[in-house]
Amino acid sequence: MQEVEKVLGHEEVVKHLKNAAAMDKVSHSYIFAGEKGSGKKLLAKLFAMTLQCEKHGDEPCLQCSSCKKAMNRNHPDIIYISHEKPNSIGIEDIREQLISDVSIKPYTGPYKIYIVDEAEKMTVQAQNALLKTIEEPPAYAVILLLVNNGSTLLPTIASRCVTLNFKPVRDEVIKKYLMEELHVPDYQAEVSVAFAQGNVGKAKQIATAEDFTEMMDAAFRILKRGQDMEVYEMVDAIKLLSEQKHTIYEYLDLYLVWFRDVLMFKATRQIDGLVFRQEYNDIKSRADRSSYEGLEKIIRAIETAKARLQANVNFDLTMELLFLTIREN
């Protein structure tokens, strides 16, 4: 039988859900809000398992037949809503899998639980169709809407749900987990934590990447050779990298941490606080060449590039502007 992963951080959310289960005060609809990789799906699964568990405790026993079914994702009363189109959850998806299903009583458990991941992708029509069920749910129904940070559901839906916000997890908690549970070396754990900014999923993904060192070397090579390359060559190089294995956001996050190191070194001249300590020589020479203002401009430009790419602005143009800023400052 597979083990369920540990939940790191999110103490307030966990406490709220445990109390609801223990005191039998479960709401009919919840919104779990947090960025991708923050642990929403894991907690939704564990909460659903707890509610269906035959021991009726404040957490799943992992031993009963209900828990075993839920762990293998074949519990008939825990329904994960799927959708054909990658970028939208349409009215048909919601109607077929949730609205027309919710009137059928649970097969085995006390509840019927619906988990809608990326619920912000529901079309307005789908949300309006769901509204009636959320307003007048059967006594046994629990709907969990998982949304990415800052995503907006219709106010009519949001106002009828209990919203639980998933905040960034503390760095030391993530670092301890990476080193003790996943046996990631100290330095790699530190880089991963700086890179992830409180997001456990992100830290884990980067810490356990087989080509971790290669990825860093490739990303930094573009920065270091920036003086000898044309801007379009730099854009082509990063494009090639981000098409191979890791996403462009991972490379941009590496640059962000690297330039924060440069800024930190410029201010303190100390090597201790640096994430990329083994990059000391390059960080020092960059710190000597750039002004405080220039470095702050670069850091802002990386954040802007990430936001532009998320808003589907042209890749080449976005990266060109970024590398120009890096070069000019």
Side-chain angles (χ1 to χ4, degrees), residues 273-310:
L274 303 184
V275 174
F276 294 122
R277 284 193 284 279
Q278 92 296 9
E279 293 282 314
Y280 170 71
N281 291 331
D282 292 291
I283 284 174
K284 182 181 183 302
S285 79
R286 183 79 207 205
D288 294 340
R289 289 205 313 274
S290 297
S291 65
Y292 284 112
E293 193 190 2
L295 290 168
E296 276 163 7
K297 259 190 197 154
I298 291 172
I299 289 169
R300 273 201 306 276
I302 298 170
E303 297 278 18
T304 306
K306 280 169 69 177
R308 282 183 178 144
L309 291 173
Q310 268 159 346

Side-chain angles (χ1 to χ4, degrees), residues 16-80:
H16 180 102
L17 296 175
K18 277 185 165 189
N19 284 344
M23 295 161 76
D24 216 12
K25 291 202 168 150
V26 178
S27 290
H28 286 297
S29 39
Y30 290 87
I31 293 170
F32 286 14
E35 62 174 35
K36 188 175 159 59
S38 59
K40 307 187 294 288
K41 255 196 290 205
L42 175 61
L43 256 176
K45 181 181 178 176
L46 289 174
F47 184 47
M49 283 170 71
T50 303
L51 296 182
Q52 305 290 27
C53 178
E54 290 158 23
K55 299 271 167 70
H56 307 299
D58 66 355
E59 54 184 43
C61 75
L62 308 184
Q63 304 300 322
C64 69
S65 78
S66 169
C67 281
K68 286 177 185 175
K69 280 183 197 149
M71 279 203 276
N72 298 318
R73 267 179 92 140
N74 56 14
H75 193 299
D77 299 320
I78 299 175
I79 297 109
Y80 290 85

Side-chain angles (χ1 to χ4, degrees), residues 5 174 177-178 182 192 199-209:
E5 281 180 75
I174 303 181
Y177 166 73
L178 294 178
L182 302 181
S192 306
N199 181 318
V200 179
K202 216 168 166 186
K204 196 172 150 188
Q205 186 188 353
I206 207 75
T208 54

